[in-house]
Amino acid sequence: MIRNVLGSLVALAGAASAVLSPFRDWYDGRAGRDYRVRDLFEGITATESGVLVSILLPFLAAALLVIVGVVLRSRLVVALAGLVVLGFTILWMVRQGQAAGSLVVGGDGAGLRVGVANALAGGLLMLIGALLMSGRDRRGRRNRREREPVEPYAAPGADQVDTWPPTQEPGMSVQTSPWPEPEVDPYTGPDPHDPRTRSYPQAPYPEDDPRDPVHPPHRPPPPQG
């Protein structure tokens, strides 16, 4: 948290320095806002530039990137803003050196001025701010995921269907097969064809005999009289 705050402040200070630099002298008494963006690609000319089409434009875009990076706590976005400022400043130095024949630093108002120093310092501060920032709290997100409730048992794979559902007791599970258990046929009495279930000898009956083979009918007792 402290690293994010410190890095954000450094990056914002760099953005402010970069945005203010075009309003100061860059070379030989000429302000940075007088250089057109197209001059950086086509060559430095003496043509005056409007503020919104000057070198201020990429610096404003970099400042917006810094603000977005600070809000999102993205080190990559802040570092990209610093590279934009440094890249355009170095490109201007190359073009200015080609136009003037060389780059000099003079104390009499000629050569590189304080505006270039502000731009370079702003880009470096943005990179330093990106390095100081810790980014998003990945550990906090990991802890939140660990605190989320999880199922006590995970669903088994296709090759482990015989162990579902698991039990707290050692040994085999309650149900050891994914298929339903076979139903037991209801009891219908002893098997008449099994000699072990016969309590007395009985004459064999044909299979299509309708009489009860277990409780055959008895003859009525003879009349007494």
Side-chain angles (χ1 to χ4, degrees):
M1 181 64 180
I2 298 178
R3 290 185 57 186
N4 279 329
V5 174
L6 181 60
S8 300
L9 292 177
V10 173
L12 291 174
S17 177
V19 171
L20 293 177
S21 65
F23 297 95
R24 311 192 72 175
D25 293 342
W26 275 49
Y27 193 83
D28 200 12
R30 189 177 181 184
R33 64 177 182 272
D34 294 333
Y35 294 95
R36 299 180 300 177
V37 175
R38 60 183 298 181
D39 290 345
L40 303 181
F41 302 95
E42 299 176 357
I44 301 297
T45 63
T47 306
E48 297 293 332
S49 173
V51 176
L52 296 181
V53 293
S54 67
I55 199 174
L56 175 64
L57 181 62
F59 289 175
L60 286 175
L64 291 177
L65 285 178
V66 169
I67 295 175
V68 172
V70 169
V71 172
L72 299 179
R73 289 182 294 179
S74 175
R75 302 173 62 186
L76 181 61
V77 175
V78 175
L80 178 61
L83 293 177
V84 169
V85 173
L86 290 178
F88 276 90
T89 305
I90 294 174
L91 181 59
W92 173 88
M93 294 174 67
V94 172
R95 292 300 187 184
Q96 182 62 44
Q98 292 175 349
S102 63
L103 288 177
V104 296
V105 180
D108 56 351
L112 295 176
R113 301 294 295 168
V114 68
V116 180
N118 290 147
L120 293 175
L124 291 177
L125 287 176
M126 293 179 192
L127 293 180
I128 295 174
L131 293 176
L132 291 176
M133 294 174 63
S134 61
R136 297 185 178 182
D137 189 4
R138 298 180 180 178
R139 183 175 59 184
R141 289 184 295 176
R142 184 170 61 252
N143 293 336
R144 286 194 296 271
R145 289 196 299 266
E146 292 176 355
R147 290 195 299 266
E148 291 179 356
V150 295
E151 296 183 1
Y153 304 103
D159 56 340
Q160 298 178 349
V161 292
D162 290 342
T163 60
W164 182 258
T167 62
Q168 296 290 346
E169 300 296 334
M172 297 297 293
S173 61
V174 177
Q175 182 178 348
T176 58
S177 175
W179 309 108
E181 296 183 358
E183 296 183 359
V184 181
D185 295 335
Y187 179 75
T188 56
D191 186 3
H193 301 286
D194 190 355
R196 294 174 298 178
T197 61
R198 297 177 182 176
S199 58
Y200 51 86
Q202 194 174 21
Y205 289 92
E207 294 182 357
D208 56 350
D209 196 324
R211 293 178 297 175
D212 185 359
V214 179
H215 303 286
H218 298 278
R219 294 181 179 180
Q224 298 179 1

